Amino acid sequence: MVDDLGFADFGCYGSEIETPRIDQLAEEGLRFSQFYNTAKCHSSRVSLLTGLYCNQAGNAKLSRATTIAEVLGKAGYFTSMSGKWHLDKQPTDFGFQRYWGHLSGATDFFAGNETFRLNGEVWNEFGEDFYTTDANVDWSIKFMGEALESDKPFFHYIAFNAPHYPLQAPKSDIQKYLGRYDSGWSEVREVRFKKQKKLGIFPSDMELSALPKHMPRWESLTVQQREFESFRMAIFAAMVDRVDQQIGVLLDWLEERGELENTLIMLCSDNGACPFERSKHLNVAPWKAGSYYLYDASWATVGNTPLKHYKQTQHEGGISSPFIVHWPKQIKNMGGWERSPGHLIDIMATCIEVADTAY
């Protein structure tokens, strides 16, 4: 699960952001055109983990629920997690035998925070090269390696904090996207929509809706404002690119061990693109700890192309996720689109069926 990523932010859903490894998963698997979340971080995590709507499950306390990790753990699976928790207690209290990550809803990607835990204990070994997205995959590989050594099947959940704010990425990744958004949000949105129609998500004769009233015309911005807007979208793109790179590291690791073909992989977002403007510390470069860039509702509208609104609303832009399923030996319509609706609550039932166990 990625965080605050819009419906149109992966290449295989229309984006110009380079996501070749995620696109490969789509080409060798299935993409859903109508997959839904709950429009907010914590409630989507509850639904994914429990197969229930948030209130049914007891909200963040999970007081009226059982998790996928608890069900599959009893069925003999090695269960582990890395990344953002954002619920009560800790993953190790809810069936995860291994956990590394942060309990908070967000973190500084370079410096971390005081909520990082390793198997229930405080963890604060943040080195000079620390970057949360990379560390999520490093720990994922460590835990799945333990699972393979134990000769058990594994269930692993990666909750990437990226591309949730603060927008921070390694300098080289940001430099790759500098200047790419100088044309402005209107043009980028139109280009994404054309690509979406070419990909078959939407009909070729569908028209792009008008920009919302809150979005100023790009031409009405000053040169300095345009440079700032282009820059912060480049940071966001770099974060998504980095997620793709790290997913590639994980896929290569699985393939080297002969496990890729036999591993069911599902990829989604917890809600639509985020419209909040809370930027501060702009004197600190976004490839350094302490920086705190965000983009606002204008780029969030692009992230959810062509859908209306964004995170926190119940419009399509708030509740629509890209959803990719990769399982080569089991998926017949490889590279196709699944048009039937799906929801995060379906993941629990799917895992139970795949594991041939009971709820």
Side-chain angles (χ1 to χ4, degrees), residues 79-101:
T79 61
S80 55
M81 175 185 169
S82 64
K84 169 177 167 176
W85 179 236
H86 205 202
L87 303 173
D88 282 14
K89 296 184 180 180
Q90 301 186 40
T92 46
D93 296 314
F94 293 99
F96 287 99
Q97 298 156 21
R98 302 286 187 278
Y99 171 68
W100 176 90

Side-chain angles (χ1 to χ4, degrees), residues 19-26 244-245 247-249 251-252 255:
T19 56
R21 303 309 300 270
I22 292 170
D23 298 348
Q24 179 187 350
L25 288 177
D244 183 80
Q245 294 174 44
I247 285 177
V249 170
L251 296 177
D252 290 344
E255 189 165 33

Side-chain angles (χ1 to χ4, degrees), residues 18-67:
E18 296 176 30
T19 56
R21 303 309 300 270
I22 292 170
D23 298 348
Q24 179 187 350
L25 288 177
E27 290 165 9
E28 297 173 356
L30 277 179
R31 274 168 289 179
F32 279 63
S33 62
Q34 294 190 84
F35 189 83
Y36 293 104
N37 58 64
T38 70
K40 285 286 283 184
C41 291
H42 92 272
S43 54
S44 284
R45 288 155 211 285
V46 171
S47 290
L48 181 151
L49 287 167
T50 67
L52 301 172
Y53 293 112
C54 189
N55 287 344
Q56 286 179 300
N59 295 300
K61 294 182 183 297
L62 304 180
S63 57
R64 295 191 295 272
T66 186
T67 68

Side-chain angles (χ1 to χ4, degrees), residues 4 10 28 85 145 159 179 181 184 191 198 202 220 229 237-238 257 263 285:
D4 285 5
F10 288 148
E28 297 173 356
W85 179 236
Y181 296 98
V191 170
K198 187 175 180 180
F202 301 111
S220 72
E229 293 293 352
R257 282 150 187 79
T263 302

Side-chain angles (χ1 to χ4, degrees), residues 285-343:
W287 49 85
K288 293 183 178 181
S291 57
Y292 210 88
Y293 283 78
L294 284 79
Y295 68 22
D296 66 10
S298 297
W299 284 122
T301 297
V302 175
N304 294 326
T305 303
L307 309 175
K308 187 177 182 179
H309 291 317
Y310 18 65
K311 174 181 178 175
Q312 197 172 270
T313 75
Q314 297 302 308
H315 295 81
E316 288 284 326
I319 62 175
S320 297
S321 284
F323 188 66
I324 299 167
V325 183
H326 183 272
W327 201 13
K329 291 185 177 180
Q330 304 293 333
I331 293 174
K332 297 177 182 178
N333 185 26
M334 287 175 57
W337 286 96
E338 177 56 54
R339 304 289 180 183
S340 62
H343 192 281

